[in-house]
Amino acid sequence: MSTPDVIVFDVNETLSDMSPLGEAFAAAGAPEHLAGTWFAGILRDGFAIAAAGGNAAFSEIAQDSLVRLLAESGDAVDDAAAGPIISALKNLGVHPDVVPGVEALRRVAELVTLSNGSASVAEGLLERSGLRGHFTELLSVDDAPAWKPARSAYAYASSETGHPADRMLLVAVHPWDIHGARRAGLRTAWINRTGAQYPGYFSPPDLEAADLVELAGQLTDGTA
């Protein structure tokens, strides 16, 4: 595969390590596993709104769904518990491979983000990790017609960067994001940190790597 002009990073889970959210739920008196339920529900409802022709803010869905989820989890959870959990979401760190991986990939192509979350959350994440200066743009579907994986979200990224879709490489841990980007004409790289099996019903990625450092190696040593 030829070297891309732009590498487009998903943010939530691809760059950010969301494991501390379980601790935030536990501190609120709720089961840790609800963190995964919450995030999956945010995505489900965001996708549903996009499929129906709308575009709601990630933060709006996150706040509303969290309050209801905590209320359903039992009387031991205080009404004020949502605040610290939302704060934990906004102040996550990156996975261990992200700093060296991004530093290597910035020598390969221009770097941007494209998140279903807000650009300000991506900004904070990259500032805390010392990586903000490696990214030329932080894009959010808040400014696009719809959430990823809608085709219009990737078209928005292409328009904003000034590069055609086939010169862009989307990097994500989510197969649904890989599928959407492939359908929109982008090349794709699936980061498979857990050794999972890729779903057979989604368009396959062009590249697969265990982490961002390995992906950088593939793009620079000619194995991609």
Side-chain angles (χ1 to χ4, degrees), residues 2-224:
S2 61
T3 303
D5 294 333
V6 181
I7 298 176
V8 184
F9 289 85
D10 173 55
V11 177
N12 292 323
E13 291 191 296
T14 298
L15 297 178
S16 62
D17 178 3
M18 302 186 76
S19 57
L21 288 180
E23 300 171 8
F25 271 82
E32 287 192 21
H33 70 80
L34 285 185
T37 302
W38 178 46
F39 185 67
I42 295 169
L43 294 180
R44 177 201 63 211
D45 292 350
F47 295 166
I49 291 170
N55 188 359
F58 185 99
S59 59
E60 177 186 354
I61 298 174
Q63 177 72 34
D64 184 275
S65 62
L66 177 59
V67 170
R68 289 183 289 102
L69 182 63
L70 291 175
E72 295 166 4
S73 68
D75 295 337
V77 181
D78 188 89
D79 290 343
I85 295 174
I86 293 291
S87 179
L89 178 65
K90 293 179 178 179
N91 291 281
L92 295 170
V94 297
H95 292 283
D97 62 288
V98 169
V99 171
V102 167
E103 288 178 344
L105 288 166
R106 75 183 179 91
R107 295 189 285 271
V108 175
E110 176 185 350
L111 307 184
V112 304
T113 63
L114 177 62
S115 177
N116 280 341
S118 71
S120 63
V121 170
E123 179 106 35
L125 177 73
L126 296 173
E127 288 283 2
R128 289 190 298 276
S129 59
L131 296 174
R132 177 61 185 91
H134 299 334
F135 289 80
T136 59
E137 295 188 75
L138 305 181
L139 305 176
S140 168
V141 300
D142 287 348
D143 303 309
W147 281 37
K148 297 182 297 174
R151 181 183 295 266
S152 60
Y154 307 100
Y156 162 73
S158 176
S159 175
E160 287 296 302
T161 62
H163 291 273
D166 63 0
R167 297 300 305 162
M168 304 173 76
L169 174 71
L170 177 92
V171 177
V173 297
H174 305 114
W176 54 261
D177 206 353
I178 297 295
H179 176 78
R182 278 291 302 270
R183 298 278 298 197
L186 283 73
R187 290 176 285 176
T188 57
W190 182 43
I191 303 303
N192 183 12
R193 293 189 178 97
T194 63
Q197 184 173 354
Y198 193 85
Y201 43 80
F202 284 147
S203 299
D206 295 291
L207 301 172
E208 178 180 340
D211 55 38
L212 296 185
V213 175
E214 182 179 312
L215 175 63
Q218 292 179 11
L219 290 170
T220 57
D221 66 9
T223 59

